Amino acid sequence: MSKKTLKVESDKLEQVARERVDDPSVQKIVIDSSFKGEKKEESTGWFNWISNWRWKPTSLKELEDTEREMLQSAEIPFEQSLVKIEVPNSDKSVFVNTLKAGQGPPILFLHGFAAGIGLWAGNLKEISKNNTIYAIDLVGFGRSTRYPFNGKSKEEAEDYFLDMIENWRNSSGIDGKFNLLGHSFGGYLAGNYALRYPQNINHLVLVDPWGVPHRPEDAEKNYTLKWKIVKSIITSFSPLAAVRVAGPWGPGLVSRFRSDLSDKFWHLHNSDVVTKYIYHINAQEPHGENAFALLSSGLAWASNPLQDRLIHLDKKVGLTMIYGEDTWMDRKAGYSVAKQLGSRASFHTIPDAGHHCYIDNWEYFNTLLSKELEKANSNNKTKR
């Protein structure tokens, strides 16, 4: 059966996705970016306030609207679609929210925990000049299907993400090897994917990756009693449960505790769209969080760290490690990995940047990444 692509207006996306997720003839739903939608006049008065009141003030449509505002600030043409993939060991299908921009060798961007494709807005314009960027929301996060995770082990949690990424690759149209970039938790998944599927990877870029070092034996030695209580509460539930439980106070909670993210995007936005976006992507069902919880040890460390495994990365795969100068991640573990891999690996520090170094110092980061990809793509041509 031939597969077809549907093109729909954004306000009908949710309905079409629900109706066509099990239709075997549909492979992809492309969002019509020319459709702006009708701007509804906001009515006032106590009756309207009561009728529109919700305990959890979010919806997939509001998430889509804030994401579009984030991405349009990149000021480049791009295609956004829902790519349908099969769920491993199941007769079910899910959609992966996918952005495609630029031209040249392909590179796949994987976002970090509690994030989404909208946070790449400061990098798309520069990197897409000489590369075809694919950025996806991981299944269980963002606007990709929140497919239930029912596993009980870290191996099942790892499979939940890696199998979905591989099935996305099979459905995406990428031909041959590609470069793979991951930030934070996305870096952990990117590293694991490259170890499992080295035949698909040309070059691996880990940006302030989570899950590289071993957990120190005295990790909690200096924790205060207050922090130990908070940590116990957080690890007993989904990590972002507070955002959902807070109900109508959720947006304010995100705005208060993650106002730094809005500051990072000052050159792209002069509104609160960033904190709204963070709220909407994390107020949905927590299936991705549930899988992450099994992969983590006390949230800050991985139960199966990459440090001893990345040194066995296939010899045909190059590696670039990038950290923020002021990151809270353990840079020493990343440096150790790069050093052991020798000439096929490089280690870099972004000045005036923390964990979100891709946006903290976006100009420096974009220049560095462009040079690293140019070298990697040139080496790939030589290998052929």
Side-chain angles (χ1 to χ4, degrees):
M1 179 187 298
S2 61
K3 303 287 186 178
K4 61 184 178 183
T5 296
L6 302 180
K7 190 171 184 178
V8 302
E9 297 172 349
S10 60
D11 67 336
K12 297 176 182 176
L13 179 64
E14 225 178 297
Q15 177 187 345
V16 174
R18 282 197 307 268
E19 293 174 349
R20 295 304 188 99
V21 68
D22 293 320
D23 184 344
S25 68
V26 175
Q27 182 58 48
K28 184 165 74 171
I29 301 176
V30 175
I31 302 166
D32 185 355
S33 58
S34 65
F35 178 74
K36 304 297 182 183
E38 295 181 8
K39 186 164 184 171
K40 297 180 180 178
E41 293 185 11
E42 294 186 6
S43 39
T44 58
W46 66 269
F47 178 78
N48 181 70
W49 183 87
I50 291 175
S51 63
N52 288 320
W53 188 86
R54 296 164 293 171
W55 171 254
K56 193 167 66 173
T58 187
S59 67
L60 290 177
K61 184 64 173 66
E62 288 166 294
L63 170 53
E64 182 195 343
D65 290 342
T66 54
E67 180 186 84
R68 186 185 303 111
E69 188 173 348
M70 290 284 292
L71 293 173
Q72 287 178 341
S73 66
E75 298 181 335
I76 59 167
F78 61 86
E79 176 191 272
Q80 192 170 7
S81 63
L82 297 180
V83 175
K84 188 160 69 173
I85 66 171
E86 295 180 357
V87 176
N89 305 313
S90 168
D91 59 353
K92 300 292 185 181
S93 297
V94 296
F95 283 114
V96 176
N97 186 29
T98 303
L99 176 144
K100 180 181 179 182
Q103 56 184 357
I107 179 169
L108 172 62
F109 283 18
L110 301 181
H111 62 76
F113 181 74
I117 64 174
L119 295 185
W120 299 116
N123 315 108
L124 297 176
K125 188 172 185 177
E126 184 64 30
I127 306 305
S128 66
K129 289 178 180 178
N130 297 299
N131 302 273
T132 300
I133 296 176
Y134 293 86
I136 63 172
D137 281 338
L138 297 166
V139 170
F141 290 100
R143 286 178 58 219
S144 289
T145 302
R146 301 279 174 143
Y147 190 76
F149 172 72
N150 300 312
K152 304 296 182 184
S153 69
K154 60 186 178 184
E155 290 79 16
E156 290 174 299
E158 198 169 282
D159 289 343
Y160 174 83
F161 292 111
L162 299 189
D163 289 347
M164 298 287 194
I165 294 172
E166 173 61 2
N167 286 359
W168 172 87
R169 182 195 68 83
N170 286 325
S171 300
S172 67
I174 291 180
D175 184 22
K177 292 187 176 184
F178 61 96
N179 299 314
L180 177 60
L181 178 150
H183 170 252
S184 194
F185 178 52
Y188 178 78
L189 294 178
N192 276 287
Y193 180 90
L195 289 168
R196 185 178 295 190
Y197 301 103
Q199 70 276 13
N200 298 334
I201 304 300
N202 172 46
H203 196 82
L204 177 64
V205 183
L206 302 185
V207 181
D208 228 78
W210 173 89
V212 176
H214 296 279
R215 179 175 181 171
E217 292 183 6
D218 60 347
E220 299 186 20
K221 181 180 179 181
N222 298 320
Y223 284 4
T224 63
L225 177 61
K226 178 181 178 181
W227 169 243
K228 287 180 179 179
I229 293 173
V230 170
K231 174 183 169 294
S232 177
I233 293 172
I234 290 175
T235 53
S236 297
F237 303 94
S238 297
L240 295 167
V243 174
R244 292 178 290 274
V245 173
W249 295 278
L253 194 67
V254 173
S255 181
R256 179 179 178 184
F257 288 99
R258 291 316 313 263
S259 60
D260 60 307
L261 280 176
S262 285
D263 296 338
K264 296 175 190 299
F265 288 83
W266 64 268
H267 60 297
L268 297 174
H269 300 285
N270 58 5
S271 68
D272 59 353
V273 65
V274 179
T275 50
K276 284 182 178 179
Y277 176 63
I278 295 297
Y279 170 72
H280 288 305
I281 59 178
N282 292 304
Q284 314 302 320
E285 293 299 315
H287 299 300
E289 295 167 48
N290 295 339
F292 168 81
L294 283 174
L295 291 173
S296 68
S297 175
L299 294 180
W301 296 273
S303 53
N304 188 15
L306 283 172
Q307 187 168 2
D308 296 332
R309 295 188 289 144
L310 274 179
I311 59 176
H312 301 294
L313 188 66
D314 189 281
K315 292 181 179 180
K316 294 181 180 179
V317 179
L319 172 66
T320 296
M321 304 283 281
I322 302 175
Y323 284 84
E325 182 180 39
D326 302 315
T327 183
W328 57 272
M329 293 292 180
D330 182 359
R331 286 187 291 166
K332 292 179 181 178
Y335 179 77
S336 174
V337 170
K339 188 174 181 180
Q340 290 182 73
L341 288 178
S343 60
R344 64 193 175 101
S346 61
F347 181 89
H348 307 270
T349 301
I350 304 292
D352 302 317
H355 180 52
H356 293 273
C357 57
Y358 61 93
I359 193 65
D360 284 332
N361 191 344
W362 77 95
E363 292 175 315
Y364 191 105
F365 177 87
N366 288 341
T367 299
L368 172 62
L369 179 57
S370 295
K371 290 180 179 178
E372 288 296 298
L373 291 176
E374 183 179 2
K375 286 191 291 184
N377 294 330
S378 177
N379 290 338
N380 189 37
K381 290 179 182 178
T382 303
K383 291 175 189 176
R384 292 181 203 172

